[in-house]
Amino acid sequence: MHRRISASRTGRPRSVEADAAILAATRAALVELGWSGLTLGNVALRAGVAKTTLYRRWAGKNELVVDAVAALFDELELPDRGTLAEDIEGVVLQFAAILDRPEARTALMAVVAESTDDAALRERISSSIVDRQKRLVVEGRARAQARGQLPAESDPETAARGTDLIFDVIAGAVVHRCLVSAKPVDTDWARDFTRLLLNGLTAPPPT
């Protein structure tokens, strides 16, 4: 006969407030201590929770840092500026502002390096950051299609491939500009990039 597992055996439900405090403490530790100095013990102390609380939620430091920076990217919103070009410019500037935060820079550079030989960590980066932020592309395309600024797509597979490509182009360009080239993403750069994205290399320069 199978025994029923009582509620006390299934573990306590996760606290949204505790999770938010832990992720905020992780970002603060990244700014103050850097990647190499950050430990789960330090984060637990800052968040005012037991270290075992962290281990029940995250397998280790890498996963914790991914989720801490993913929460920053969840703040991204697609502005409604009236045109597809201006919407893209707005989200590019928001994205760059997040990458300009020291905790985001430190976390992304570190976890990407750590994920080189860690398939599970790459998958967590993909599911927690990349896949969640593709919502902006889906939302932006749907809005532009409703305005008549983009043609509608009836094939879901083609639409999904397009979403992946658009995200890769935008995110790749902004991340490279901010973290690799270490140059600013200002209004002029965002406008030039958007023009290139929408019109391609053969479009004439703006007059």
Side-chain angles (χ1 to χ4, degrees):
M1 184 176 66
H2 295 290
R3 294 171 56 190
R4 293 183 61 189
I5 299 176
S6 66
S8 62
R9 294 288 300 278
T10 60
R12 296 179 181 177
R14 291 183 66 154
S15 163
V16 174
E17 293 79 8
D19 282 0
I22 291 167
L23 297 179
T26 302
R27 292 189 293 269
L30 282 167
V31 174
E32 182 177 336
L33 305 174
W35 170 262
S36 59
L38 184 147
T39 66
L40 266 62
N42 180 272
V43 170
L45 183 64
R46 289 169 182 264
V49 300
K51 191 189 298 186
T52 53
T53 301
L54 270 70
Y55 283 111
R56 283 199 299 267
R57 288 162 162 77
W58 291 277
K61 172 178 170 178
N62 290 343
E63 294 78 9
L64 174 60
V65 170
V66 168
D67 285 3
V69 76
L72 294 179
F73 291 116
D74 284 342
E75 297 173 6
L76 281 169
E77 295 181 355
L78 185 68
D80 189 348
R81 296 181 166 189
T83 70
L84 176 59
E86 290 177 339
D87 289 354
I88 293 173
E89 290 171 22
V91 80
V92 163
L93 291 171
Q94 283 185 60
F95 185 27
I98 290 175
L99 292 177
D100 195 46
R101 296 172 64 163
E103 63 270 37
R105 290 199 307 271
T106 299
L108 275 183
M109 297 292 276
V111 295
V112 168
E114 291 288 318
S115 71
T116 302
D117 299 315
D118 189 336
L121 182 58
R122 287 197 301 274
E123 175 58 32
R124 191 177 189 97
I125 294 170
S126 179
S127 62
S128 296
I129 300 176
V130 175
D131 291 346
R132 291 214 302 245
Q133 298 316 314
K134 286 180 182 177
R135 63 183 169 81
L136 299 170
V137 177
V138 173
E139 181 184 346
R141 293 176 84 186
R143 183 187 293 169
Q145 288 166 351
R147 293 174 181 149
Q149 297 166 346
L150 282 179
E153 293 183 352
S154 57
D155 180 23
E157 185 175 339
T158 301
R161 288 201 305 270
T163 294
D164 289 346
L165 180 58
I166 293 167
F167 181 88
D168 288 346
V169 170
I170 295 175
V174 178
V175 168
H176 188 279
R177 176 79 175 179
C178 293
L179 302 186
V180 180
S181 298
K183 294 181 179 179
V185 171
D186 54 19
T187 302
D188 288 340
W189 188 91
R191 184 176 298 116
D192 291 343
F193 168 72
T194 300
R195 181 179 61 83
L196 179 64
L197 176 68
L198 294 180
N199 300 322
L201 292 173
T202 58
T207 56

